[in-house]
């Protein structure tokens, strides 16, 4: 057996995260939109001697891809377990992901079916936040279809 020591650190907004039960430490982090986010994550990498970064929520994939572009050369021994930025941006946006799949002949759920109810999912949503159940045409007309993907 390999004699490997693993310490799990989790970058969260609260210390009440379920990861608490397995993480060595929960690091109270910054919000995605805060200007100091990248500097703070880089400081954590340096001070905690982090060697692997793994995103666990949708928006974290985009954030980590951007960070990877900025600091990967500075930290050659750190694995950024994330795709390139253009790929993460495509797959964080449900409308772009759907178009990409169709262009590449990958089946997707039927969309804008003329049958109700429909589910309107925000194109950049995550964890079922912001979904709307559309019961009729009147409700459908109130939805900005450039911001939602509609599925049956």
């Amino acid at each position: 057996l390999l004699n490997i020591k693993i310490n799990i650190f989790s970058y969260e907004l609260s210390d009440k995260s379920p990861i608490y039960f397995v993480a060595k430490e929960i690091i109270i982090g910054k919000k995605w939109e805060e200007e100091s986010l990248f500097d703070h994550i880089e400081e954590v990498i340096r001070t905690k001697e982090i060697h692997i970064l793994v995103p666990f929520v949708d928006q974290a994939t985009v954030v980590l891809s951007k960070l990877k572009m900025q600091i990967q050369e500075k930290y050659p021994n750190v694995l950024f377990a994330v795709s390139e930025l253009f790929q993460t941006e495509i797959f964080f946006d449900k409308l772009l992901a759907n178009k990409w799949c169709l262009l590449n002949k990958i089946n997707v759920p039927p969309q804008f079916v003329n049958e109700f109810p429909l589910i309107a999912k925000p194109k950049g949503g995550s964890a079922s936040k912001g979904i709307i159940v559309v019961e009729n045409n009147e409700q459908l007309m109130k939805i900005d279809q450039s911001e939602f993907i509609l599925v049956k």
Side-chain angles (χ1 to χ4, degrees), residues 32 56-60 91-92 94 119-132:
W32 302 128
F56 282 102
V57 295
D58 296 339
Q59 191 169 358
F91 287 97
F92 183 64
K94 290 173 185 60
I119 303 295
K121 300 174 82 172
K123 71 177 189 172
S126 176
S128 299
K129 292 178 184 167
I131 65 166
I132 300 169

Side-chain angles (χ1 to χ4, degrees), residues 40-58:
H40 189 247
I41 295 174
E42 185 176 356
E43 177 186 331
V44 169
I45 291 169
R46 193 176 52 257
T47 60
K48 303 294 183 184
E49 299 180 5
I50 304 292
H51 298 285
I52 302 173
L53 288 103
V54 181
F56 282 102
V57 295
D58 296 339

Side-chain angles (χ1 to χ4, degrees), residues 11 27-30 36-45:
Y11 194 84
I27 297 157
I28 304 302
K30 307 289 182 186
S36 61
L37 174 67
F38 288 178
D39 290 337
H40 189 247
I41 295 174
E42 185 176 356
E43 177 186 331
V44 169
I45 291 169

Side-chain angles (χ1 to χ4, degrees), residues 103-115:
L103 284 171
N104 289 281
K105 298 180 178 24
I106 298 171
N107 292 334
V108 296
Q111 298 189 13
F112 196 70
V113 182
N114 290 327
E115 245 180 76

Side-chain angles (χ1 to χ4, degrees), residues 70-111:
Q70 288 185 11
I71 69 170
Q72 186 174 30
E73 287 183 20
K74 191 174 178 181
Y75 298 94
N77 295 324
V78 173
L79 171 65
F80 295 83
V82 68
S83 298
E84 299 303 319
L85 181 59
F86 80 95
Q87 293 162 327
T88 59
E89 286 178 333
I90 287 172
F91 287 97
F92 183 64
D93 182 317
K94 290 173 185 60
L95 294 173
L96 289 176
N98 188 66
K99 287 178 186 174
W100 185 92
C101 287
L102 291 172
L103 284 171
N104 289 281
K105 298 180 178 24
I106 298 171
N107 292 334
V108 296
Q111 298 189 13

